[in-house]
Every structure is written in structure tokens, then in C-alpha cells.
Amino acid sequence: MASIDGLISGMSTTDTINQLMQVEAAPQTALKSKVSTVNKVVTAYQSVNSRLSSLAAAANALGKSDTWGSMKASSTSSAAAISAQPGASAGSLSFHVDQLAATRLQTFKDMSVTSITDADAAPVMSNDSFDIYLKDGTKKPLTPTDRSLQAVVTAINGEAEAPYKASAVQIAPGRYTLQLTAKESGAAAAAKIDSVGLPEGLDLGTSSVTIDGRDAVLTVGEGGGAYAINSASNTFAEILPGVTVTAAKAQAPGDAPVTVDISADAEGIATKVQALVDNVNVVLNELASQSKIKTGEIAAGPLVGDAAVRKLRQDILSAVSGGAAGLGANDTTASFKEVGISINRDGTLAFVKDDFMKTYKADPARAEKFFDSYTDVTSPKGNGTAGTFEPGFDTAIGLGRKLEAVALIASEGVKDPDNPTKVRQGTMKALMERNTATISSLNDQVSEWDVRLELRRTALQKQFSGLEVALGKMQQQSSWLAGQLAGLG
């Protein structure tokens, strides 16, 4: 906007108006400051909510049967790898890897052609079609696009029920022929090809077995009591309940046998307990940071004095200090110190792995209950799923279940068994939505003040402009009077 500084009065009317507008804009400035403050509050709630989601996931992991049924598998030799599914039987087995599985490979090496694609100069068939035998033994004619080797390969590979795959291979410089590879490894697949037969009607002579199909073989034991385990592939599933062995290389006759051991993965479970404690501490530290009081030059946190934050902290610590009901002697409440978890003086959690391992090794089922146990509670309308933990409704006993419920109630909310389609509404989510609505309302008021202040600036400019005009007229009158008086003298 152009300056309207007074030419008559000599005063800086632009500066004067700007100073007056600062006073007029004080309410809007206060509104903007409040928007900034509430934005910080929303950001703080979002940060807490994100950490609560991680805590819920860590707590839920300790409520899964896969966690408590996880098994650790080991092998004494690189000749075989081992894996164990959750719930697999603990045990040990020794064996010798006699041979690996192989896939039947047959090559028509007695005859060859000089080109893979030239059907005129290097045909591999005299007629327009040839026959193959499918997996079920039935014969099927195939008509390739031409009589070249590549067209024959394409035709065979286009038949899903063929027991083999075809390739065009070079057996000498500039000499090509057909090679067939069984679709499955092992002796049975090789025997199947022998029983159903190879393609007929090709001008490639007879084929030779380049690699014979065979089973992988493990030998358990020695002498007259030894027995062999065969597999069409190098994978031996359920060699022990829930245990899979994968043969990697054949051993020499004098090599020491492979010994595999399967045992409960206590270390893996302890790692997940540590993850739970770590996530709890992350949440507690975040709550402390966002709600800290002003100290010297350090500003207060955006959630200082927030009742929801204070309650959340109390709920987390109460879940730990309350212990596990019914797990103590004579069904009394047992302390979580038995599984290594306690509250430090600074209000964070500590985990002593050795204490957990001691309790777990003494009674794995009891150790599990310290984290994954609850009592089914019927909802007000008699709904709910028995045997499935429903946070916020079932009574949590184990620490994992307790903290899962606390985290979900505070973050995303929990499902209502009486109204499963009802939108979940956690405490943090509700507070974020409420404060976001406040920000929207405040921004509307700021916009209204923009219009009000613009009108006020226009009015001030008009007033000062009128002042200049009035002063100009007075100056003219003064000059005229001065002239008249001078004339009288």
C-alpha cells in the first residue's frame, strides 16, 4: 500500500498507523500463539501414540503360542541344515548324509542339428507333429509352429502335463540337440518318465541318461540296526515332529554323522521379554519428556499437567506393581520379579534375564502365564469369544496381556464385543481429534480478525488522510489571514 505520510503535518502517519494496528491486532496475536501451543500438544499426543502402538505389538508378541512354543534347532555339520516349527518336539537325532537327490536329465546326443531356429536347413522332425506321453500315460500329439528344434522345445514346454521340461543345448561347436529334464527330482520321477516314454516322431535318434534321478538318503545308526530315510528332494519334512532337515552335501563314508538338536528357544523368548521392557521404558520416557515442568531455562513440556498422561503412566506402572494374580503360593499374587521384571527408583522398568531364565527352566508353563494369561469375561450383552483375549473386557493377568490392554485403550482403542463394527476410539486418538478441532476453530477466528483488522486499517488511513486535508485548509486560511493583516498595516 502506498505511503500516506503527512505532507502538511510532517508526521509519519504510516508508522503511527502501524503502531496502532499492533495494538488492534493483540487479540489475533494471542489467538495465533494459542494455535501454536495446541499444535505442539497434538504433536506430543501423536508421538506418545506412536510409541504406544509399538508397546502394544511387543506385548502382543508375548501372547502368541508361536513365541512360547518356539524351538531352537542346531546341526553339528554343514552337510545338513535344520529348522523347527513352533511346538516341535524337543529331541536329538544323528544321521549320515549318504547322497543328495538328483533330477533325471536325458540328452539326444546321438544326433544334432546346425541351427536351433532354421526349420528348412536344420529340421528335427519329418512331419508337422510329434507325440509325447503325459504324466498320466496318455499320448498327446503336438504341432509346433515349424520343424525347428526351438519350435519343438516351445511346444513341449507349453504342455503343462508333460513330465519333463525341454531345452535346446549345444553339445559341440555349432551342433545342437534336445535335452529333457524331469519336472520333479528323485527316483520315482525318473521311473515315471521311463514308464510313460519319451517323445516320438522326432529325427533325433535315441536319448541317453545324462544324470539319473535319485533320492536323497540319510542313514540313521550303524550296523544291523541302521535304517535309511529317503526323500525325492533334499528336504526331509517331519523327520521329528515339526522338524525339517535339508541335506546340503553328501558325506564321505568315514565322515562323522550329523547330529541335530531341537530344544526350547528360551533365549529367543527372553529377547522378546526384553523388547517388552524396552518398549515400556520408551513410552515412560516419552511421557516424562512431554509432561516435564519448567526448570530454569528449560521450557515445560506441551503436556505438562495433562491428566490423561498422568493416568497412562499410573496404569503402566500399576500393571507391573500389581503382580500376577493366582500365580503365587496357594493361588496368591506373584511378583513379576520372579521373571526378572521390576520398577527402578526413577520409575522405569528393569529386566534381569537370569531371573527369567531360572523361572522358565524350572517351569516353562508357569513362566508363560506370567505374560500370557487372562480370565474370559462375558460382555454386558453376553457376547465375546471364549479363548480369545479381548483387551479392555477380559481380565488380564499376565504382564503381556495387561500392557497390551493399557496400550490399546490409550492408543487405537479396543473392540467392543457387543458392537464389533463400532469405530475404535483410544484416549490419545480422542484427544488428538479434540485438539485438532480446537485448532480449526482458532484458525477460523484468526481469519475473521484478518478481515476486521483490514477494515480498521482502512478507517485509520481515511482518518489520517482527512486530518491532512483539514490541516491543509487551516494552513491556507492562516496564510490568507496573514496576508490580509499585512495589507492593513
Side-chain angles (χ1 to χ4, degrees):
M1 184 174 290
S3 171
I4 59 169
D5 286 354
L7 298 176
I8 305 301
S9 65
M11 67 182 294
S12 177
T13 53
T14 297
D15 291 342
T16 301
I17 290 174
N18 287 338
Q19 292 171 5
L20 289 172
M21 288 305 300
Q22 288 181 2
V23 176
E24 295 283 350
Q28 187 191 51
T29 301
L31 286 172
K32 290 179 177 179
S33 177
K34 193 170 183 179
V35 168
S36 177
T37 299
V38 181
N39 267 321
K40 292 179 181 178
V41 169
V42 171
T43 300
Y45 282 138
Q46 290 172 336
S47 182
V48 172
N49 195 61
S50 173
R51 285 153 178 77
L52 284 170
S53 296
S54 296
L55 172 57
N60 179 263
L62 286 169
K64 294 181 177 179
S65 58
D66 284 359
T67 295
W68 296 97
S70 61
M71 304 298 288
K72 179 174 62 177
S74 63
S75 171
T76 60
S77 171
S78 60
I82 182 170
S83 62
Q85 298 298 318
S89 297
S92 180
L93 181 68
S94 294
F95 53 82
H96 190 274
V97 182
D98 292 343
Q99 68 179 30
L100 298 182
T103 302
R104 168 69 70 86
L105 188 69
Q106 297 200 207
T107 309
F108 291 80
K109 63 185 182 64
D110 292 342
M111 296 186 66
S112 61
V113 292
T114 57
S115 171
I116 295 175
T117 58
D118 192 335
D120 296 323
V124 296
M125 51 190 295
S126 302
N127 299 316
D128 291 332
S129 64
F130 65 98
D131 296 327
I132 67 167
Y133 291 90
L134 306 182
K135 295 177 183 178
D136 61 4
T138 59
K139 182 188 291 188
K140 181 176 181 178
L142 297 180
T143 303
T145 55
D146 57 44
R147 300 181 182 184
S148 69
L149 178 57
Q150 185 59 57
V152 168
V153 168
T154 302
I156 293 174
N157 291 336
E159 176 49 60
E161 292 304 311
Y164 38 69
K165 296 177 291 185
S167 302
V169 296
Q170 182 175 248
I171 59 174
R175 307 301 300 181
Y176 306 92
T177 193
L178 176 67
Q179 190 172 85
L180 301 177
T181 305
K183 289 184 176 179
E184 299 176 359
S185 62
K192 183 68 174 177
I193 292 177
D194 288 337
S195 65
V196 300
L198 298 175
E200 297 176 349
L202 299 177
D203 298 337
L204 289 172
T206 59
S207 70
S208 300
V209 176
T210 306
I211 299 176
D212 200 5
R214 62 177 180 270
D215 292 344
V217 180
L218 306 181
T219 296
V220 181
E222 298 177 350
Y227 62 92
I229 305 174
N230 288 42
S231 173
S233 70
N234 290 323
T235 300
F236 295 78
E238 296 295 315
I239 196 166
L240 292 173
V243 178
T244 296
V245 167
T246 302
K249 64 180 179 181
Q251 295 179 284
D255 287 349
V258 179
T259 299
V260 296
D261 286 300
I262 303 92
S263 59
D265 188 12
E267 289 285 342
I269 299 172
T271 298
K272 291 189 177 182
V273 175
Q274 181 68 66
L276 174 66
V277 171
D278 291 344
N279 274 278
V280 170
N281 286 336
V282 167
V283 172
L284 292 173
N285 289 332
E286 182 69 16
L287 294 176
S289 174
Q290 298 293 356
S291 62
K292 65 179 182 293
I293 61 174
K294 185 178 186 302
T295 305
E297 297 299 321
I298 301 176
L303 302 182
V304 61
D306 189 289
V309 168
R310 185 166 56 251
K311 181 179 184 304
L312 176 56
R313 179 179 177 81
Q314 291 172 347
D315 288 345
I316 292 173
L317 295 178
S318 294
V320 181
S321 62
L327 294 185
N330 300 317
D331 295 330
T332 57
T333 297
S335 170
F336 288 113
K337 288 184 179 180
E338 284 197 50
V339 286
I341 297 177
S342 60
I343 301 176
N344 294 318
R345 289 185 178 182
D346 63 357
T348 59
L349 300 192
F351 175 56
V352 180
K353 178 181 175 181
D354 288 345
D355 291 345
F356 169 80
M357 297 295 280
K358 180 180 178 181
T359 300
Y360 179 82
K361 290 177 180 178
D363 189 343
R366 182 168 179 267
E368 179 180 353
K369 289 180 180 179
F370 271 98
F371 297 92
D372 178 26
S373 57
Y374 61 93
T375 300
D376 274 317
V377 176
T378 304
S379 66
K381 294 184 180 180
N383 295 320
T385 304
T388 299
F389 179 59
E390 293 171 311
F393 292 89
D394 291 339
T395 303
I397 298 173
L399 185 59
R401 295 305 190 182
K402 284 184 176 184
L403 292 175
E404 180 182 3
V406 169
L408 289 176
I409 290 170
S411 58
E412 66 185 55
V414 296
K415 183 177 70 174
D416 185 349
D418 293 328
N419 189 4
T421 60
K422 181 180 178 181
V423 177
R424 301 183 186 187
Q425 180 76 300
T427 305
M428 293 296 117
K429 183 179 178 181
L431 290 170
M432 284 187 284
E433 290 180 354
R434 187 184 309 166
N435 281 276
T436 299
T438 298
I439 292 172
S440 178
S441 175
L442 290 172
N443 282 329
D444 288 343
Q445 294 178 54
V446 169
S447 297
E448 291 171 359
W449 267 98
D450 284 338
V451 176
R452 190 180 306 173
L453 291 173
E454 185 60 31
L455 292 174
R456 181 56 178 155
R457 178 180 289 277
T458 300
L460 287 172
Q461 289 173 340
K462 185 176 181 180
Q463 289 176 0
F464 277 92
S465 177
L467 173 63
E468 291 296 322
V469 171
L471 287 174
K473 290 181 178 179
M474 292 177 63
Q475 189 178 57
Q476 290 176 356
Q477 291 176 354
S478 175
S479 297
W480 180 80
L481 287 173
Q484 292 296 320
L485 290 174
L488 292 174

Short mmCIF file of all heavy atoms in Angstrom, two decimals, residues 5 11 54 74-75 78 91 108 112 129 216 228 258 306-307 333:
data_model
loop_
_atom_site.label_atom_id
_atom_site.label_comp_id
_atom_site.label_asym_id
_atom_site.label_seq_id
_atom_site.Cartn_x
_atom_site.Cartn_y
_atom_site.Cartn_z
N ASP A 5 2.17 9.28 4.41
CA ASP A 5 2.82 10.16 5.37
C ASP A 5 2.42 11.61 5.10
O ASP A 5 2.36 12.06 3.94
CB ASP A 5 4.34 10.02 5.27
CG ASP A 5 4.83 8.72 5.88
OD1 ASP A 5 3.97 8.01 6.47
OD2 ASP A 5 6.03 8.39 5.77
N MET A 11 4.15 14.60 10.15
CA MET A 11 4.28 13.40 10.99
C MET A 11 4.27 12.13 10.11
O MET A 11 3.71 12.13 9.02
CB MET A 11 3.14 13.33 12.01
CG MET A 11 1.77 13.11 11.42
SD MET A 11 0.45 13.09 12.66
CE MET A 11 0.88 11.60 13.54
N SER A 54 3.85 -49.37 19.33
CA SER A 54 4.98 -50.30 19.40
C SER A 54 4.91 -51.14 20.66
O SER A 54 5.22 -52.34 20.64
CB SER A 54 6.30 -49.50 19.37
OG SER A 54 6.44 -48.82 18.14
N SER A 74 19.75 -76.90 16.02
CA SER A 74 21.18 -76.77 15.70
C SER A 74 21.68 -78.04 15.02
O SER A 74 21.12 -79.12 15.21
CB SER A 74 21.99 -76.51 16.97
OG SER A 74 21.88 -77.60 17.86
N SER A 75 22.71 -77.89 14.20
CA SER A 75 23.30 -79.00 13.49
C SER A 75 24.81 -78.96 13.68
O SER A 75 25.41 -77.87 13.69
CB SER A 75 22.96 -78.93 12.00
OG SER A 75 23.68 -79.88 11.26
N SER A 78 27.82 -78.82 8.39
CA SER A 78 27.25 -78.05 7.28
C SER A 78 26.64 -78.98 6.23
O SER A 78 26.05 -78.50 5.25
CB SER A 78 28.34 -77.19 6.63
OG SER A 78 29.40 -78.00 6.14
N GLY A 91 14.27 -82.87 21.01
CA GLY A 91 14.95 -84.15 20.84
C GLY A 91 16.24 -84.01 20.09
O GLY A 91 16.69 -82.90 19.78
N PHE A 108 19.54 -86.13 -26.21
CA PHE A 108 19.56 -86.80 -27.52
C PHE A 108 20.89 -86.46 -28.19
O PHE A 108 20.94 -85.73 -29.19
CB PHE A 108 18.38 -86.33 -28.37
CG PHE A 108 17.04 -86.80 -27.87
CD1 PHE A 108 16.40 -86.16 -26.81
CD2 PHE A 108 16.40 -87.89 -28.44
CE1 PHE A 108 15.17 -86.59 -26.34
CE2 PHE A 108 15.17 -88.33 -27.99
CZ PHE A 108 14.56 -87.69 -26.93
N SER A 112 22.33 -84.40 -33.97
CA SER A 112 22.25 -82.97 -33.68
C SER A 112 21.98 -82.21 -34.97
O SER A 112 22.05 -82.76 -36.07
CB SER A 112 23.55 -82.48 -33.04
OG SER A 112 24.64 -82.70 -33.91
N SER A 129 3.88 -82.82 -36.90
CA SER A 129 3.57 -83.03 -35.48
C SER A 129 4.38 -84.20 -34.96
O SER A 129 4.94 -84.99 -35.71
CB SER A 129 2.07 -83.28 -35.30
OG SER A 129 1.67 -84.47 -35.94
N ALA A 216 17.45 -88.46 -2.20
CA ALA A 216 18.41 -88.17 -1.13
C ALA A 216 18.25 -89.25 -0.07
O ALA A 216 17.14 -89.73 0.19
CB ALA A 216 18.14 -86.79 -0.53
N ALA A 228 17.54 -96.50 6.74
CA ALA A 228 17.68 -95.38 5.79
C ALA A 228 16.37 -94.61 5.67
O ALA A 228 15.28 -95.18 5.74
CB ALA A 228 18.11 -95.90 4.42
N VAL A 258 26.01 -86.42 11.24
CA VAL A 258 25.43 -85.13 11.59
C VAL A 258 24.52 -85.35 12.80
O VAL A 258 23.68 -86.25 12.79
CB VAL A 258 24.61 -84.55 10.42
CG1 VAL A 258 24.00 -83.21 10.82
CG2 VAL A 258 25.47 -84.41 9.18
N ASP A 306 -1.08 -32.75 32.20
CA ASP A 306 -2.15 -33.44 31.46
C ASP A 306 -2.62 -34.66 32.25
O ASP A 306 -1.84 -35.55 32.58
CB ASP A 306 -1.62 -33.87 30.09
CG ASP A 306 -2.72 -34.38 29.19
OD1 ASP A 306 -3.23 -35.48 29.46
OD2 ASP A 306 -3.06 -33.68 28.22
N ALA A 307 -3.91 -34.71 32.55
CA ALA A 307 -4.47 -35.79 33.36
C ALA A 307 -4.39 -37.13 32.65
O ALA A 307 -4.15 -38.17 33.28
CB ALA A 307 -5.92 -35.47 33.72
N THR A 333 -1.07 -63.71 44.78
CA THR A 333 -0.49 -62.92 43.70
C THR A 333 1.03 -63.04 43.73
O THR A 333 1.66 -62.89 44.78
CB THR A 333 -0.89 -61.44 43.84
OG1 THR A 333 -2.31 -61.33 43.72
CG2 THR A 333 -0.23 -60.59 42.76
#
